[in-house]
Amino acid sequence: MNIEPTLPHTQANDAVSDAWDYKGRPARRSKSGGWISAAMITGVEGNERLTTLGIAVNLVTYLTGVMHLGNVASANIVTNFLGTSFMLCLFGGFVADTFLGRYMTIAIFATFQAMGAIILTISTKIPSLRPPPCTVANESCIPASGTQLGVLYLALYLMALGTGGVKSSVSGFGSDQFEETSKEERSQMTKFFSWFFFFINIGSLIAVTVLVYIQDNVGRQWGYGICACAIVAGIALFMAGTKRYRFKRLVGSPLTQIAAVVVCAWKKRGLQLPEDSSELYDVDDVATVGNKKKKQMLPRSKEFRALDKAAIKSTTDDTSKPNKWTISTITDVEEVKMVVKMVPIWATTIIFWTVYVQMNTLSVAQASTMDLHMGPNFEIPAASLTAFVAIAILVTVPLYDRAVSPIVNRFLPNGLTPLQRIGLGLVLSIIGMTVAALTEVKRLRTAMAHPEDKIVPLSVFYICPQFLIVGAGEAFTYIGQLDFFLKECPKGMKTMSTGLFLTTLSLGFFISSVLVTIVQSLTGHVHPWIADDLNKGRLYNFYWLLVCLSVVNFLVFLVCAKRYVYKEKWLSIQGFLNEDDDDGPICH
């Protein structure tokens, strides 16, 4: 929603800086924003999380048991679906920043997700949209046809498109409900991010327990139908808050700025850089239009000097009416450099999510072969084991905040830095995969000792530690990444930095698909690591492969983290740190 002010001013004591209501009038603090608006926005994200995870976490068993696909194909469908969902966050952020605004992006893309959930629900009800059940006389089972898979893919990727649009904008739109120039509301914004993360995991916990149980014991159509109703309810709740929301004007996509700087630098690659930075084009040279505030000037850094050529004033440049595709300010160049400096950290967090996705795919397949009974009369759905990931997060976050953090603060005054939290999460992922490999060895030995049993006589709780350890790792990695990308991003690039962070999840899922495919092609003909019957496979070798990759990745991360200089420290050294500047979103 592109909101422009229609009134010149409002009451001074009640005005919200740079925000308008749904009619385009200057927003009033007493009648807009705050916790009520933020809660309605959090509601749509909580329901989106419940819907996506409620379908994805148990999708492997649906694909193998109902659509009659193999373990490898099923795992890849799930990882590709989740990977595409997070990759589309960059697209959703671009659309929000450039065309629709965050409000309209959330409303429209959540509708796409609801459509996908409804189509998936219908496909589970109509017999012609799924293959016939296996029978004793037909042990091979008929796999899903092209048409049946086509309907399934349509439903999943409509949901993926919806997820990309909602996730890219919902946290930013929620933070827009708090005024950054107000000390009280800025403090509330920090608490909002904590509650936002907490309620996401509440939705996750409900999805992997209640919804999975309904899918396995009542029926897929009921489980998926509840998911569809949840996202529709989330949209209704979100739309009900329209009159209370605070809106910000479109500022354009940071991706355009990055592209413009690269294009300018390439066009002027043959020019000589002046040693004196004052000879380069910068914000002081930009004419102020009306009362629009200039960007905060940034110092010129020594890294990536080739990009500085984008700010060279050539004889053909008209600096009175500059074209961003022919000349950039040195501040614009430095903002792009900030993004480039984050790339090594971004790259070394991807492998964590490759490990994480195994908890939703192969570990669930493991669980389905084990004794799922808890007591004589209750059987745990295999996919509900992922509840231990959510439980680990919900325990780790408050435990660290209340018990561990005070101890850490005695040695580190500011607590663990974002990079230290990420590093701790990477270590936990290595431990988690090591435990998973050792547990799989024990499971296979038990299966070999009881070849006549279809279900391995080993309690499913033996594999719970890998879920708990990786879940604790997610708590540190996710919060550390979110904190890092928001703090280190240039001002005005909040949506893009969130999308950049979420692409690490996407690429982690895609890498998992590639690894599974490669392993299957290399080992499938002789001694398959990932067999349709896991009792005849060597899944532990795949887990050991992930351990080795994670160790190498962690060592590379340590090198990158040691070399990284935090933005606040760099600006402080240069004497450019200005705490009172509020141009654009503040990165907390």
Side-chain angles (χ1 to χ4, degrees):
M1 180 175 287
N2 187 4
I3 301 294
E4 295 292 341
T6 57
L7 298 177
H9 61 274
T10 188
Q11 298 179 7
N13 293 334
D14 200 29
V16 180
S17 61
D18 194 30
W20 295 271
D21 66 13
Y22 73 109
K23 289 187 176 180
R25 301 170 300 194
R28 299 178 62 180
R29 186 178 292 106
S30 59
K31 294 185 177 182
S32 67
W35 282 113
I36 295 178
S37 298
M40 291 182 169
I41 296 167
T42 301
V44 71
E45 170 60 9
N47 283 13
E48 181 278 325
R49 180 70 168 177
L50 184 148
T51 300
T52 301
L53 198 58
I55 290 171
V57 74
N58 205 22
L59 191 56
V60 166
T61 59
Y62 177 73
L63 295 173
T64 55
V66 177
M67 304 302 279
H68 305 156
L69 303 178
N71 279 330
V72 172
S74 300
N76 283 347
I77 288 174
V78 175
T79 52
N80 289 339
F81 161 59
L82 292 172
T84 302
S85 300
F86 289 109
M87 183 61 73
L88 285 171
C89 289
L90 278 178
F91 171 73
F94 176 80
V95 170
D97 287 340
T98 309
F99 301 109
L100 297 178
R102 291 170 180 164
Y103 171 84
M104 288 299 295
T105 299
I106 294 170
I108 292 173
F109 281 75
T111 303
F112 284 131
Q113 184 170 24
M115 291 169 58
I118 291 170
I119 292 173
L120 184 61
T121 303
I122 293 173
S123 72
T124 63
K125 188 67 176 175
I126 300 176
S128 62
L129 294 179
R130 61 184 189 275
C134 298
T135 62
V136 176
N138 185 19
E139 294 181 355
S140 62
C141 299
I142 300 174
S145 66
T147 300
Q148 292 163 346
L149 287 177
V151 173
L152 175 68
Y153 290 146
L154 174 64
L156 291 180
Y157 286 96
L158 275 174
M159 291 182 60
L161 179 62
T163 297
V166 172
K167 282 192 176 295
S168 65
S169 301
V170 72
S171 59
F173 191 54
S175 67
D176 287 344
Q177 307 313 305
F178 302 96
E179 188 179 10
E180 294 170 343
T181 57
S182 165
K183 183 178 180 180
E184 179 182 357
E185 292 199 16
R186 191 163 60 244
S187 174
Q188 291 174 343
M189 185 193 299
T190 302
K191 293 181 181 179
F192 163 74
F193 284 117
S194 298
W195 282 108
F196 181 80
F197 183 67
F198 182 83
F199 277 108
I200 285 177
N201 285 286
I202 290 292
S204 300
L205 188 59
I206 295 173
V208 301
T209 52
V210 178
L211 287 181
V212 169
Y213 180 83
I214 291 173
Q215 290 169 20
D216 286 353
N217 295 276
V218 181
R220 293 278 175 172
Q221 65 271 28
W222 287 100
Y224 293 163
I226 292 173
C227 290
C229 291
I231 190 62
V232 170
I235 295 171
L237 177 65
F238 176 74
M239 299 300 292
T242 300
K243 293 183 178 181
R244 283 199 55 88
Y245 295 145
R246 296 173 185 173
F247 300 90
K248 302 292 181 73
R249 68 162 57 91
L250 300 181
V251 296
S253 173
L255 295 176
T256 304
Q257 176 183 329
I258 294 172
V261 169
V262 172
V263 169
C264 291
W266 176 258
K267 287 180 178 179
K268 299 180 179 181
R269 63 189 182 278
L271 300 181
Q272 185 69 32
L273 267 174
E275 292 299 325
D276 188 353
S277 297
S278 63
E279 297 181 22
L280 296 173
Y281 186 60
D282 208 349
V283 292
D284 283 346
D285 301 317
V286 180
T288 303
V289 180
N291 61 353
K292 184 179 179 181
K293 189 176 179 181
K294 298 177 182 178
K295 281 187 176 183
Q296 176 190 358
M297 182 184 290
L298 293 176
R300 183 183 176 191
S301 62
K302 296 180 180 180
E303 297 89 354
F304 312 111
R305 298 293 292 272
L307 292 176
D308 291 349
K309 293 188 177 183
I312 295 176
K313 302 175 187 176
S314 66
T315 55
T316 58
D317 291 325
D318 182 1
T319 54
S320 62
K321 298 179 180 179
N323 182 337
K324 64 182 178 182
W325 296 102
T326 59
I327 188 169
S328 303
T329 67
I330 195 64
T331 292
D332 285 340
V333 173
E334 290 301 325
E335 288 182 342
V336 173
K337 287 184 182 181
M338 287 181 183
V339 176
V340 175
K341 291 174 185 177
M342 291 191 291
V343 168
I345 302 298
W346 169 85
T348 51
T349 55
I350 293 172
I351 198 67
F352 173 85
W353 299 106
T354 301
V355 169
Y356 168 82
V357 77
Q358 309 312 318
M359 300 302 105
N360 294 317
T361 54
L362 294 177
S363 291
V364 171
Q366 267 183 294
S368 66
T369 69
M370 303 173 72
D371 181 7
L372 295 167
H373 286 91
M374 186 173 68
N377 300 319
F378 182 75
E379 188 171 298
I380 305 169
S384 290
L385 268 292
T386 56
F388 287 99
V389 174
I391 291 171
I393 294 170
L394 294 175
V395 171
T396 300
V397 173
L399 181 64
Y400 173 81
D401 186 55
R402 299 297 180 184
V404 179
S405 184
I407 298 174
V408 172
N409 288 342
R410 296 178 183 177
F411 305 95
L412 301 171
N414 297 319
L416 293 179
T417 66
L419 292 181
Q420 288 170 339
R421 289 193 179 196
I422 294 172
L424 181 55
L426 296 181
V427 170
L428 287 172
S429 72
I430 296 171
I431 297 173
M433 274 295 95
T434 302
V435 170
L438 295 174
T439 303
E440 176 61 8
V441 171
K442 179 178 180 60
R443 192 194 68 82
L444 278 179
R445 287 176 178 172
T446 305
M448 292 172 64
H450 300 82
E452 70 284 355
D453 295 335
K454 291 184 178 181
I455 298 298
V456 179
L458 185 68
S459 173
V460 74
F461 289 105
Y462 271 96
I463 66 171
C464 287
Q466 63 202 56
F467 288 93
L468 291 170
I469 296 170
V470 174
E474 182 190 1
F476 286 106
T477 302
Y478 189 103
I479 295 175
Q481 280 185 282
L482 188 61
D483 194 12
F484 174 77
F485 282 101
L486 288 178
K487 280 184 176 179
E488 298 304 299
C489 72
K491 291 188 175 183
M493 293 190 177
K494 183 190 296 185
T495 301
M496 190 208 70
S497 67
T498 302
L500 192 64
F501 153 51
L502 292 173
T503 57
T504 63
L505 281 72
S506 172
L507 292 173
F509 297 162
F510 285 134
I511 288 175
S512 177
S513 292
V514 171
L515 285 176
V516 167
T517 302
I518 292 174
V519 165
Q520 181 66 10
S521 65
L522 294 178
T523 69
H525 302 296
V526 186
H527 299 292
W529 289 6
I530 307 172
D532 289 340
D533 182 355
L534 289 183
N535 293 341
K536 298 178 181 179
R538 300 181 179 182
L539 182 59
Y540 57 88
N541 281 337
F542 183 71
Y543 285 160
W544 284 125
L545 174 63
L546 288 176
V547 170
C548 294
L549 292 175
S550 298
V551 169
V552 173
N553 177 77
F554 177 67
L555 295 176
V556 175
F557 170 81
L558 288 179
V559 174
C560 296
K562 186 176 182 179
R563 293 181 177 180
Y564 188 85
V565 178
Y566 283 100
K567 181 178 72 173
E568 183 176 353
K569 181 179 179 180
W570 172 62
L571 290 176
S572 179
I573 292 172
Q574 299 295 327
F576 274 75
L577 191 61
N578 186 354
E579 295 289 348
D580 297 326
D581 184 82
D582 61 349
D583 177 41
I586 297 175
C587 296
H588 293 284

